[in-house]
Amino acid sequence: MQQRSGQQRPDQQRPDQQRPDLQRLEQPPAPRGARVSRRGLIGGGAAAAGLAGAFVAGHASAQSPSGTSAGTSSYAFRGAHQAGIVTPAQDRLHFAAFDVTTGSRAQLVALLRAWTDAAERMTRGLPAGGGAVEGAPDLPPDDTGEAIGLPASGLTITFGFGPGLFRDAHGRDRFGIADRRPAALAQLPHFPGDVLDEARSYGDLCVQACADDPQVAVHAIRNLARIGFGTVAVRWSQLGFGRTSTTSTSQSTPRNLFGFKDGTHNVKAEQASAVDEHVWVAAGDDPAAEWLAGGSYLVARRFDMAIEVWDRQTLGDQEDSIGRTKGTGAPLSGGGEFTRPDFTMAGSHGPVIPEDAHVSVVHPDHNGGARMLRRGYNFVDGTDALGGLNAGLFFLAYVRDPRTQFIPIQAKMAKADALMEYLQVTGSALFAVPPGAGAGEHVGQALFT
Amino acid sequence: MQQRSGQQRPDQQRPDQQRPDLQRLEQPPAPRGARVSRRGLIGGGAAAAGLAGAFVAGHASAQSPSGTSAGTSSYAFRGAHQAGIVTPAQDRLHFAAFDVTTGSRAQLVALLRAWTDAAERMTRGLPAGGGAVEGAPDLPPDDTGEAIGLPASGLTITFGFGPGLFRDAHGRDRFGIADRRPAALAQLPHFPGDVLDEARSYGDLCVQACADDPQVAVHAIRNLARIGFGTVAVRWSQLGFGRTSTTSTSQSTPRNLFGFKDGTHNVKAEQASAVDEHVWVAAGDDPAAEWLAGGSYLVARRFDMAIEVWDRQTLGDQEDSIGRTKGTGAPLSGGGEFTRPDFTMAGSHGPVIPEDAHVSVVHPDHNGGARMLRRGYNFVDGTDALGGLNAGLFFLAYVRDPRTQFIPIQAKMAKADALMEYLQVTGSALFAVPPGAGAGEHVGQALFT
């Protein structure tokens, strides 16, 4: 980690700022209007007070970066696995998918290194940049500033690679990695109920930023997009405001916008053997893609909910569609939230839990034991043209192999699940999520070496 | 307040559920599939356990409504003024504007009563409905459920009336209140830089829901929209994730998406004389609209920011556009955040604070002493077609008279403010915000009596 320094001059840029594409961001426009001697101090720090013009003396020490000692509210960026997967799910999300606009492998690798540096800094509650801007009012700031003064807020930043990184829409192997494409990394098939919007689907790269403060998550995506200007372009992005799953046994089960508890039987971080079995790609899983060992696959699906239609259904119909009670989340066969559903219990006109109830359709017992680590979020994106809430569930799930753990279940759900009456899938993407970056490495380094 | 009761039968509905329009929501669709005897318990409670079918016994007491004793995190709905104006600004917003679709004054008044009841309940952390649904699986729930288990979260719900309520686009006085229209309540004039989207502008009614948890704010708007089905339709809605102003001296100044502190010199709740002078409409202000005394006017403007362009400006240019430093928010003339700007201080090529700096253009000293109580929020609504963040500032300001406190300042800003280079106004609306509802009253009652 480079320490910020008020004395660093513009010509002492970090190597990644000298790459042609990234450098475009750093070109100083002509100064506008009256300029006086003044030191911009982004994020505060100790070095600048002595450099500042006399009339701004005193402002330098008023702000110091917070969150670097935030304890449980910050997570290490580096490790065997990327953070943001089994990390206890934070409450807020900003997710972005990018298209790579360069054809240069070197530029792509340089971007991954710059992103790794910035992500490590931001997850520590530091500004995205190393501080070269201090004392340099004629350069754009290397942090956009809206998170100054906010703590790390449990920020995690998780990167993924889409199929297009390995072979683009024209079949080109732009970066010389086509032969290392994981066999499971292909566009998802079309499912009944899919009405995909291209502008909400696919992407060569993805970044999942989760935090306890949405301003911190937004700040992370924005700065990564800024750093990537000229190398990548945002294809789509999605904010989520309420998580719909628990990834730790320490968390209580949240509710989705159907008003029901969601994620009761999610794979939990504490269940190490379940995580190993269902989430992490193991060495030997895919001989062509050993670089992915310790990683995972991320399925992202935007489920638009017919909120107003749902809200007019009777409580009984809602509960039949889910297979659980709305109040406590207990299976309709009785007990409490965590009681095992009894799919054989008979009611007056059939099973108490209808066969087309969501909980029955997707239950591991009915899907060869397949489970996922779900990490989705509720979203409301304002109002649609008819005045309905543009709202739903941004489904995120990490799996060891989407071919067995997601595709068959989604296909079955699309055909047989009573909930699908109230759902449309408008966005869809699949990414391979590399393992965590070790010391000195950039994310995904094993793919490029 | 009606207590929830597990024994209330569907035919014992509250009076407001018997109004023709609202009743449409309550019509039970035909039961679907297998139904068994089961008591839906939304929000938990004590009464249902004994009524529940044996196989679900045990789930009833697992959930109890939270937040009713949440102390500082709940605000009284009733009072001389509506909550959500001088209330310390919460961090999250869902704002909705509605068109009234009925021509019936009685239905409009009944809606305001139903909204008042539901708002009072929700701000206490209770479900929106009185609980008639308990024991009634064949009715739609009278609360949508996604906030069950969440505390009141400081929720405030603030209602306003648009010009169209008094006279619609065809000049009709639908509700017999045209002669009581406040003189200041007219559509805002067109300003340079306005590129208004009709689908993000105007509205007969508005509801501002602010809370510390976005799921609680969304829940409030959704349930009010649900209750209003058939009487009103959502025209537009906007989520905000980070406040941009302080309304209490107890709050630190947040940052907007330009990365700068915003709202430093906002009118604060603790400044009683400033609030009386600048925020509340006084008796005698408008003889035709005495019903508005104790209320205010709400200006809502959606400022789209050219984020990617802004991020490429030098720090110096950014600070010149604002007139403050990015780090501490001190005026460019020196001192700390709360130091008074010195607009006369000379720099090398003109004033240190440029004349077109935002802080100079909008400063009360340059606007006849006019001030506002700002209560805006940052927003990011995903990505636009070019891959830029669809982001900006959802400006909300409460003023005693928009003709003197907003329109001249906005006109000047649109012409002369350096910031406008990075801003487009895509949504705009003005509302008269009635005073608070007293005991037994509905919001806006004085307008209809």
Side-chain angles (χ1 to χ4, degrees):
Chain A
M1 298 287 298
Q2 197 173 18
Q3 293 304 306
R4 61 170 59 245
S5 156
Q7 310 222 33
Q8 194 170 36
R9 295 209 317 279
D11 57 351
Q12 294 174 314
Q13 292 177 320
R14 288 171 296 157
D16 60 27
Q17 291 178 324
Q18 292 166 351
R19 286 175 295 113
D21 287 292
L22 297 185
Q23 204 168 17
R24 292 173 55 185
L25 256 181
E26 309 295 333
Q27 295 300 340
R32 181 180 65 76
R35 287 299 309 166
V36 294
S37 171
R38 175 162 42 80
R39 303 291 182 238
L41 182 69
I42 304 298
L51 301 168
F55 56 87
V56 293
H59 83 276
S61 60
Q63 190 89 43
S64 62
S66 355
T68 51
S69 61
T72 57
S73 77
S74 78
Y75 297 104
F77 178 75
R78 296 181 187 274
H81 308 294
Q82 287 196 69
I85 302 173
V86 296
T87 309
Q90 304 93 325
D91 282 348
R92 317 290 170 230
L93 168 81
H94 194 182
F95 188 98
F98 294 83
D99 285 335
V100 180
T101 55
T102 182
S104 156
R105 176 178 168 128
Q107 286 180 1
L108 173 62
V109 170
L111 174 70
L112 293 173
R113 181 162 294 285
W115 272 5
T116 299
D117 289 347
E120 180 169 20
R121 292 183 56 82
M122 292 190 284
T123 56
R124 293 177 58 198
L126 296 171
V133 76
E134 287 170 27
D138 292 332
L139 289 182
D142 62 3
D143 183 277
T144 56
E146 70 271 25
I148 297 173
L150 300 178
S153 305
L155 175 68
T156 56
I157 299 174
T158 314
F159 297 94
F161 300 150
L165 198 68
F166 298 83
R167 208 176 276 286
D168 71 10
H170 307 288
R172 291 179 300 209
D173 177 13
R174 290 179 288 172
F175 308 112
I177 53 175
D179 60 349
R180 307 188 75 183
R181 182 180 65 82
L185 186 66
Q187 293 304 0
L188 295 170
H190 174 84
F191 300 100
D194 278 10
V195 283
L196 299 189
D197 179 350
E198 292 265 332
R200 296 189 187 281
S201 300
Y202 318 126
D204 294 335
L205 297 168
C206 76
V207 185
Q208 170 198 281
C210 298
D212 296 325
D213 185 328
Q215 185 123 337
V216 170
V218 162
H219 171 264
I221 294 294
R222 175 185 180 177
N223 278 275
L224 296 174
R226 180 182 59 75
I227 290 168
F229 184 82
T231 307
V232 293
V234 176
R235 181 179 174 91
W236 53 274
S237 78
Q238 177 70 53
L239 269 76
F241 62 82
R243 63 185 166 84
T244 61
S245 293
T246 58
T247 58
S248 165
T249 53
S250 67
Q251 298 182 298
S252 64
T253 313
R255 290 176 185 271
N256 61 30
L257 292 182
F258 285 139
F260 280 74
K261 290 191 180 185
D262 204 341
T264 294
H265 285 296
N266 207 16
V267 173
K268 303 288 199 299
E270 292 81 358
Q271 303 162 343
S273 65
V275 171
D276 282 340
E277 180 180 351
H278 299 292
V279 179
W280 304 130
V281 174
D285 276 8
D286 185 341
E290 281 303 322
W291 60 270
L292 189 57
S296 188
Y297 290 90
L298 171 58
V299 181
R301 304 266 290 171
R302 182 180 149 114
F303 285 87
D304 285 33
M305 291 178 171
I307 293 280
E308 292 74 20
V309 179
W310 175 259
D311 285 348
R312 297 176 69 188
Q313 306 306 307
T314 67
L315 177 64
D317 277 357
Q318 291 185 6
E319 294 184 334
D320 278 351
S321 297
I322 302 282
R324 294 180 176 277
T325 65
K326 197 161 192 176
T328 66
L332 296 186
S333 50
E337 180 191 346
F338 297 98
T339 304
R340 192 181 177 78
D342 180 351
F343 298 110
T344 65
M345 180 181 284
S348 48
H349 299 89
V352 166
I353 300 175
E355 288 175 8
D356 63 354
H358 179 68
V359 69
S360 177
V361 172
V362 302
H363 197 276
D365 286 359
H366 301 165
N367 293 280
R371 297 175 68 188
M372 323 175 192
L373 185 143
R374 291 185 47 193
R375 214 175 194 288
Y377 287 83
N378 297 326
F379 70 86
V380 174
D381 289 346
T383 306
D384 63 28
L386 299 174
L389 276 184
N390 190 349
L393 169 65
F394 186 64
F395 174 97
L396 294 172
Y398 288 89
V399 294
R400 183 174 170 182
D401 190 336
R403 295 168 299 185
T404 54
Q405 290 169 267
F406 176 76
I407 292 173
I409 301 171
Q410 175 68 56
K412 188 175 159 198
M413 185 178 156
K415 268 198 304 196
D417 193 318
L419 267 191
M420 287 304 296
E421 188 176 341
Y422 310 100
L423 292 170
Q424 277 195 332
V425 179
T426 57
S428 181
L430 178 66
F431 303 95
V433 174
E441 292 181 352
H442 66 76
V443 69
Q445 184 156 327
L447 172 58
F448 293 94
T449 50
Chain B
M1 298 288 301
Q2 196 174 20
Q3 293 304 306
R4 60 171 58 245
S5 156
Q7 309 222 34
Q8 194 171 35
R9 296 209 316 276
D11 57 352
Q12 294 172 319
Q13 292 175 322
R14 289 170 297 155
D16 60 26
Q17 290 179 326
Q18 292 165 353
R19 286 177 294 111
D21 287 292
L22 298 185
Q23 205 168 16
R24 292 174 54 186
L25 257 181
E26 309 296 332
Q27 297 298 341
R32 180 180 66 76
R35 288 298 309 165
V36 294
S37 171
R38 174 162 43 82
R39 304 291 183 240
L41 181 70
I42 304 299
L51 300 167
F55 55 87
V56 291
H59 82 278
S61 60
Q63 190 88 40
S64 62
S66 358
T68 51
S69 62
T72 57
S73 76
S74 77
Y75 297 105
F77 178 75
R78 297 181 187 274
H81 308 293
Q82 289 196 67
I85 302 173
V86 296
T87 309
Q90 304 94 323
D91 282 347
R92 316 290 171 230
L93 168 81
H94 194 184
F95 189 97
F98 294 84
D99 287 334
V100 179
T101 55
T102 181
S104 157
R105 176 177 168 129
Q107 286 179 0
L108 173 61
V109 170
L111 174 70
L112 293 174
R113 181 162 295 286
W115 271 6
T116 300
D117 290 347
E120 181 169 18
R121 291 182 57 81
M122 290 190 286
T123 55
R124 293 177 59 198
L126 297 171
V133 75
E134 287 171 25
D138 291 333
L139 289 182
D142 61 5
D143 183 276
T144 56
E146 69 271 25
I148 297 172
L150 301 178
S153 305
L155 175 67
T156 56
I157 300 173
T158 314
F159 297 95
F161 300 150
L165 199 68
F166 297 85
R167 208 176 276 286
D168 71 10
H170 307 290
R172 290 178 301 207
D173 178 12
R174 289 179 289 172
F175 308 113
I177 53 175
D179 59 350
R180 308 188 75 182
R181 181 179 66 82
L185 186 67
Q187 293 304 1
L188 294 170
H190 174 83
F191 300 100
D194 279 11
V195 283
L196 299 188
D197 180 350
E198 292 265 333
R200 295 189 188 281
S201 301
Y202 318 126
D204 295 335
L205 297 169
C206 77
V207 184
Q208 169 198 283
C210 298
D212 296 325
D213 184 329
Q215 186 125 336
V216 169
V218 161
H219 171 263
I221 294 294
R222 174 183 180 180
N223 279 273
L224 296 175
R226 179 183 58 77
I227 289 168
F229 184 83
T231 306
V232 294
V234 176
R235 181 179 175 90
W236 54 273
S237 78
Q238 178 69 54
L239 269 76
F241 63 81
R243 63 184 166 84
T244 61
S245 293
T246 57
T247 59
S248 165
T249 53
S250 67
Q251 299 182 295
S252 64
T253 313
R255 289 176 186 271
N256 61 31
L257 292 181
F258 285 137
F260 280 75
K261 291 192 180 186
D262 204 341
T264 294
H265 285 296
N266 207 16
V267 174
K268 303 289 200 298
E270 292 82 356
Q271 303 161 341
S273 65
V275 171
D276 283 339
E277 181 182 349
H278 298 291
V279 179
W280 303 131
V281 174
D285 276 9
D286 185 341
E290 281 303 321
W291 61 269
L292 189 57
S296 188
Y297 290 89
L298 171 58
V299 181
R301 305 264 291 170
R302 181 180 150 115
F303 285 87
D304 284 35
M305 291 177 170
I307 293 280
E308 292 74 19
V309 179
W310 176 258
D311 285 349
R312 297 178 68 188
Q313 305 308 306
T314 67
L315 177 64
D317 276 357
Q318 292 186 5
E319 294 184 336
D320 278 351
S321 297
I322 301 282
R324 294 179 175 277
T325 65
K326 198 161 190 176
T328 66
L332 296 186
S333 50
E337 179 191 348
F338 297 99
T339 303
R340 192 178 177 79
D342 180 352
F343 297 111
T344 66
M345 181 181 282
S348 49
H349 298 89
V352 166
I353 300 176
E355 287 176 8
D356 64 353
H358 179 69
V359 70
S360 177
V361 173
V362 303
H363 196 275
D365 285 359
H366 300 165
N367 292 282
R371 298 175 66 189
M372 324 175 190
L373 186 144
R374 291 184 49 194
R375 214 175 195 290
Y377 287 83
N378 297 326
F379 70 85
V380 175
D381 290 345
T383 306
D384 62 28
L386 299 175
L389 275 185
N390 189 349
L393 169 64
F394 186 63
F395 173 96
L396 294 173
Y398 288 89
V399 294
R400 183 172 170 184
D401 190 335
R403 293 168 300 185
T404 54
Q405 291 169 267
F406 177 75
I407 292 173
I409 302 171
Q410 175 68 59
K412 189 175 158 198
M413 185 178 157
K415 268 199 305 196
D417 193 320
L419 266 191
M420 288 304 296
E421 188 175 342
Y422 310 101
L423 293 170
Q424 277 195 332
V425 179
T426 56
S428 181
L430 178 67
F431 302 95
V433 174
E441 291 181 354
H442 66 76
V443 69
Q445 185 157 325
L447 172 57
F448 293 94
T449 49

